[in-house]
Amino acid sequence: MKVLIATEKPFAKVAVDGIREVVEKNGYELALLEKYTDVNQFYDAVADADALIVRSDKVTKEVIDHAKNLKIVVRAGAGFDNLDLAACTARNIVAMNTPGQNSNAVAELVMGMLVYAVRNFYNGKSGSELKGKKLGLLAYGNVGRNVARIAKGFGMDIYAFDEFLTKEMIEADGVAHAVANRDALFETCDIVSLHIPATPETKQSINYAVVNKLHKNGILINTARKEVINEPELLKLMADRTDLKYITDIMPDANDEFAKLEGRYFATPKKMGAQTEEANINAGIAAANQIADFFKTGNKRFQVNK
Ligand code: 3PG
């Protein structure tokens, strides 16, 4: 039985070592394809794999077509918009994610980027503090909750909206105040942090009208997916509202245009949210254990294509 790790953006070595240990302890063989530059390398590597571990790597129908032995693919992370679920299902391949395993890493990056933004990207000019500011979390899942926990330590006033959670569910841990809808979140807050997945419903949903509801000197922070942003509308808004900042861990398609907004825009060169040793270990080993458990007991707990 062969388990392939195919990661264009590799895990930390310590995580690969941990995955190898789990895979070999269970009597399987590990194959490693890292930093590939051509999709044909992925096609070749996956040809004899029984199981596949990926990060944001695109598992397209073509990849599935080349993977004649594949029975399970695990996205070591939260968002699974990079998996062609229909293609997996058509071949009876189980697709899973590893929810929660990298959420603290993303949440810590959110806070780091926020400090950077309110201190004017460390340009030496007087900035402002996060304490007492109103932080809105759009979606209150694993990442949103971790951001809330840390932001509370900064003395921020935390609000959240999640279309899948009731007010009681959001307020149960006593950290965030629930608001009635997405517009209310933007209207209430100084800073809004996006934690929604990229789905047909959310794509391009963060547009001019929504972001324009932010308070004066508002900040939009995106560590979710670039696809949820309506980039032309956000650019137009930032031209009209010179008080707003946009900071993102996912470089927009229109990066060059945003980069002209000097002092009001920052993007990491490569998505960094889950790029810690701890997150790599958590998500990678969880993926390996889920694969072993699936082969041994048929456990499909984290299946996303059902
Ligand atoms: C996720 O959905 O888990 C994050 O976006 C992390 O993606 P990455 O594994 O490509 O860093």
Side-chain angles (χ1 to χ4, degrees):
M1 201 86 82
K2 192 179 230 177
V3 179
L4 171 68
I5 301 175
T7 46
E8 184 270 320
K9 180 177 65 184
F11 291 119
K13 185 181 176 303
V14 62
V16 176
D17 292 345
I19 296 170
R20 184 183 302 282
E21 203 178 304
V22 173
V23 167
E24 291 178 354
K25 185 182 73 190
N26 282 283
Y28 313 138
E29 185 192 337
L30 186 75
L32 189 57
L33 174 70
E34 290 182 326
K35 296 186 188 170
Y36 55 91
T37 48
D38 184 336
V39 74
N40 287 305
Q41 295 170 270
F42 194 0
Y43 295 161
D44 289 347
V46 83
D48 61 349
D50 300 277
L52 173 63
I53 298 173
V54 292
R55 298 185 61 177
S56 289
D57 308 80
K58 287 196 169 53
V59 180
T60 59
K61 182 174 181 309
E62 289 69 36
V63 171
I64 298 294
D65 286 346
H66 283 83
K68 299 290 178 222
N69 296 340
L70 198 64
K71 293 146 194 86
I72 177 168
V73 51
V74 183
R75 191 282 191 246
F80 48 88
D81 47 310
N82 54 320
L83 308 182
D84 186 332
L85 295 184
C88 291
T89 305
R91 278 272 315 282
N92 218 8
I93 294 166
V94 172
M96 293 185 183
N97 66 349
T98 64
Q101 301 291 347
N102 58 22
S103 42
N104 181 68
V106 181
E108 287 190 13
L109 186 77
V110 168
M111 299 311 296
M113 288 177 76
L114 282 181
V115 172
Y116 188 49
V118 294
R119 295 304 182 94
N120 295 319
F121 310 112
Y122 305 154
N123 70 354
K125 291 192 184 140
S126 189
S128 58
E129 299 181 22
L130 294 174
K131 186 177 178 187
K133 298 289 185 307
K134 292 182 163 58
L135 172 66
L137 301 168
L138 186 56
Y140 203 55
N142 290 311
V143 182
R145 283 173 194 272
N146 273 287
V147 175
R149 170 180 56 78
I150 305 170
K152 193 178 177 189
F154 274 76
M156 298 188 82
D157 202 3
I158 302 152
Y159 296 81
F161 173 70
D162 190 316
E163 64 173 319
F164 300 105
L165 299 178
T166 62
K167 178 178 163 64
E168 290 68 31
M169 288 160 127
I170 287 176
E171 295 185 345
D173 57 11
V175 179
H177 313 280
V179 296
N181 53 47
R182 186 185 63 176
D183 283 1
L185 191 73
F186 279 80
E187 272 158 15
T188 306
C189 293
D190 303 296
I191 299 167
V192 168
S193 186
L194 304 176
H195 301 294
I196 46 177
T199 65
E201 293 74 36
T202 64
K203 278 183 185 165
Q204 310 261 320
S205 64
I206 305 302
N207 57 24
Y208 189 110
V210 176
V211 185
N212 194 25
K213 295 180 192 303
L214 273 177
H215 286 180
K216 188 166 177 352
N217 297 325
I219 299 174
L220 177 68
I221 173 162
N222 183 12
T223 55
R225 290 289 181 272
K226 70 176 176 190
E227 289 82 359
V228 304
I229 303 286
N230 183 322
E231 292 185 11
E233 291 198 16
L234 182 58
L235 277 165
K236 169 139 185 23
L237 175 67
M238 290 186 72
D240 294 349
R241 288 262 317 258
T242 56
D243 59 307
L244 294 180
K245 285 190 178 119
Y246 178 50
I247 52 177
T248 178
D249 186 33
I250 315 100
M251 198 172 275
D253 293 330
N255 180 54
D256 291 351
E257 290 303 306
F258 281 103
K260 290 177 190 159
L261 302 165
E262 218 173 303
R264 297 198 288 131
Y265 170 71
F266 172 75
T268 52
K270 198 152 199 167
K271 192 165 66 152
M272 295 294 296
Q275 199 61 326
T276 65
E277 284 190 352
E278 293 88 342
N280 290 174
I281 291 168
N282 292 344
I285 293 181
N289 279 323
Q290 287 171 216
I291 288 168
D293 206 23
F294 168 72
F295 283 138
K296 290 201 153 59
T297 71
N299 188 343
K300 297 182 194 169
R301 177 163 172 221
F302 295 108
Q303 185 173 10
V304 292
N305 61 335
K306 35 183 181 191

